[in-house]
Amino acid sequence: MASASIGIDMLEIARMEKTLARRPSFVTRVFTEEERAYCDSKARPAQHYAARFAAREAVLKVLGTGFSRGVGLADVSVRNNEAGRPEVVIGGRARQIAEEQGIHEIALSLTYTHEVAAASAVAITEEVKPKHEERPDPKEELRASFRAARSVLDELERVEERQ
């Protein structure tokens, strides 16, 4: 993969509410225990379930697979990091496909309105990963600038002595 891959998905929250009411087993079949605990702790769980389902779809669009090529519902999930930001967790066949494509990380953003939950996912490969500049040791930089200044002063002294 030579460039970033982006996946976006949206889901109507009312549709998720209907699914949860009609098929309670859907939640345990699709979502991890961690996801269920998170969503069920919220005032409007369907909104958060919808966002996490949209995240799965967005990630699968990034991978270019959908729920095919051996990728199952349990291969992609969402957890919140220490700062509360959602993160993608991939395993199984989805992880293999990501590795084959050179994907090191998948950045995720979730949002929702009263009616719709949406997710966007961006694959990060080595080619598009931001590079951190390697900076020299500040003490060494200071020493070098003093050496350069000393060299200029020495040259000035030699010029003055010749005159």
Side-chain angles (χ1 to χ4, degrees):
M1 174 180 273
S3 64
S5 180
I6 300 170
I8 299 171
D9 195 69
M10 297 170 54
L11 181 62
E12 292 174 358
I13 296 168
R15 185 172 171 201
M16 180 59 74
E17 287 171 335
K18 289 175 188 170
T19 300
L20 296 175
R22 277 187 276 149
R23 288 189 255 142
S25 65
F26 175 81
V27 171
T28 54
R29 212 181 50 183
V30 174
F31 299 98
T32 66
E33 189 175 318
E34 184 178 3
E35 287 175 305
R36 293 190 308 265
Y38 174 83
C39 295
D40 290 340
S41 73
K42 301 299 179 184
R44 192 174 177 210
Q47 171 177 291
H48 298 276
Y49 281 120
R52 276 154 175 71
F53 194 85
R56 281 170 169 71
E57 294 282 351
V59 168
L60 296 177
K61 288 175 181 176
V62 161
L63 297 177
T65 63
F67 288 110
S68 67
R69 293 180 47 196
V71 176
L73 289 170
D75 288 354
V76 180
S77 64
V78 178
R79 72 169 171 228
N80 288 44
N81 67 16
E82 310 81 46
R85 282 185 73 176
E87 293 179 329
V88 175
V89 179
I90 57 173
R93 182 68 180 129
R95 176 173 282 297
Q96 290 175 333
I97 292 168
E99 289 171 357
E100 290 167 6
Q101 294 179 9
I103 296 171
H104 293 282
E105 178 184 347
I106 299 176
L108 181 66
S109 180
L110 305 178
T111 191
Y112 43 81
T113 66
H114 188 71
E115 293 88 19
V116 177
S120 62
V122 177
I124 301 171
T125 62
E126 197 59 40
E127 291 84 11
V128 298
K129 189 176 182 180
K131 308 288 187 253
H132 297 288
E133 288 184 34
E134 289 191 23
R135 299 201 31 95
D137 178 17
K139 290 180 183 177
E140 185 52 43
E141 282 185 321
L142 186 59
R143 280 190 213 101
S145 70
F146 278 130
R147 283 192 296 272
R150 182 75 250 168
S151 174
V152 168
L153 291 174
D154 290 346
E155 184 63 29
L156 284 174
E157 286 176 4
R158 281 192 286 279
V159 168
E160 286 179 2
E161 288 174 2
R162 285 187 233 151
Q163 292 177 354

